[in-house]
Amino acid sequence: MACGDRRSSAPGAGVRLALLGGFGLSAGDASVAVSAGAERLLAFVALRCNGKVPRALVAGTLWPDATERCAYASLRSALSRLPAAGREALEVGPTELRLADGVGVDVREARTLAHRILAPGASPDRSGFGLAAVEGLSTDLLPGWYEDWTVLEADNWRRLRVHALEALACAFVGARRFPEAVAAAGAAVRADPLRESSQACLIRAHLAEGNPGEALQDVERYERRLRAELGLPAPARLWRLVAEAG
């Protein structure tokens, strides 16, 4: 479910959290350095869709191997070490935390974009979407973070953006916007190289653009990867796409 934006002139206005491509905190135009513990705390709260997050959930998730008492102590320590921008980003209550109004979060904006593209009746090819939309859907969430909660969030984001990129690619092919179609399908393939539907989107984009050689290379590359990782050949329907174009 997409997180909704909340507009306000609250203290968090001007503070921005980046979670796509890696963690970043900024206030205005200035980047703000934070500790690793503070990064995890801010990222966890930001990914709760701006809802109220019980302190017990934060402490238990971020310090799962600690006793309850030690986990709460670690949470208090992380809160005390937040820089000014980090403190402005959070509303801290006695039993819960939440992201302050006005704080910008890049993944929230990207999710909104993906849901706009995938909305019933949407026409991505006629809605002003272009390469900027493809770029906005092309980045992993918190790469290099391997805790269970981050892996789950990253997988959810990857699935959502791949569906949106495939929808964009198909719409761009229909609108004869072939460079954008290839870019969108290529981004989907990079996000999930073993996904057959993304490969099919890329092959169709190359064929629609009049580049059967590139389409053939894509199928051959996909088959090599499938055989190396899964011991499987490329699906026959992908070979047929290229053969029928010839």
Side-chain angles (χ1 to χ4, degrees):
M1 207 174 197
C3 304
D5 289 331
R6 294 180 290 131
R7 301 183 184 277
S8 173
S9 57
V15 176
R16 184 168 181 81
L17 286 168
L19 305 182
L20 297 177
F23 182 90
L25 173 66
S26 60
D29 295 328
S31 178
V32 179
V34 294
S35 67
E39 286 184 357
R40 293 163 68 244
L41 171 60
L42 290 169
F44 184 77
V45 176
L47 289 169
R48 299 306 97 185
C49 294
N50 287 346
K52 296 178 180 179
V53 189
R55 281 178 177 250
L57 177 61
V58 179
T61 303
L62 298 187
W63 295 276
D65 298 324
T67 64
E68 181 178 353
R69 181 177 178 181
C70 289
Y72 271 97
S74 295
L75 173 56
R76 289 193 298 271
S77 178
L79 287 169
S80 70
R81 292 198 305 269
L82 285 173
R87 291 193 295 272
E88 290 180 9
L90 294 180
E91 293 179 5
V92 180
T95 61
E96 61 199 18
L97 309 175
R98 67 180 295 175
L99 203 67
D101 289 329
V103 176
V105 183
D106 60 356
V107 69
R108 182 175 64 196
E109 297 158 1
R111 283 171 174 164
T112 298
L113 171 63
H115 283 282
R116 284 177 57 204
I117 292 168
L118 294 170
S123 299
D125 59 308
R126 295 194 298 274
S127 301
F129 295 121
L131 291 177
V134 175
E135 183 177 355
L137 297 170
S138 296
T139 309
D140 291 335
L141 175 69
L142 296 173
W145 291 36
Y146 299 114
E147 294 169 275
D148 289 345
W149 64 272
T150 60
V151 171
L152 177 62
E153 292 285 356
D155 284 346
N156 288 340
W157 165 239
R158 178 183 51 79
R159 283 190 288 270
L160 175 62
R161 70 187 181 91
V162 165
H163 279 107
L165 285 165
E166 289 179 352
L168 275 178
C170 292
F172 288 145
V173 166
R176 302 187 64 78
R177 294 167 59 180
F178 302 128
E180 289 128 307
V182 171
V189 167
R190 288 190 295 276
D192 192 345
L194 297 180
R195 184 179 170 92
E196 182 183 338
S197 56
S198 295
Q199 296 286 343
C201 284
L202 182 57
I203 291 164
R204 290 192 182 98
H206 283 312
L207 292 174
E209 195 174 22
N211 293 314
E214 291 193 42
L216 178 60
Q217 289 176 359
D218 287 331
V219 181
E220 292 172 341
R221 188 180 301 114
Y222 184 46
E223 177 154 74
R224 287 195 297 272
R225 185 152 196 165
L226 280 177
R227 288 192 182 280
E229 297 190 25
L230 301 177
L232 298 173
R237 77 183 188 99
L238 297 185
W239 291 110
R240 283 198 298 272
L241 284 176
V242 179
E244 290 169 1

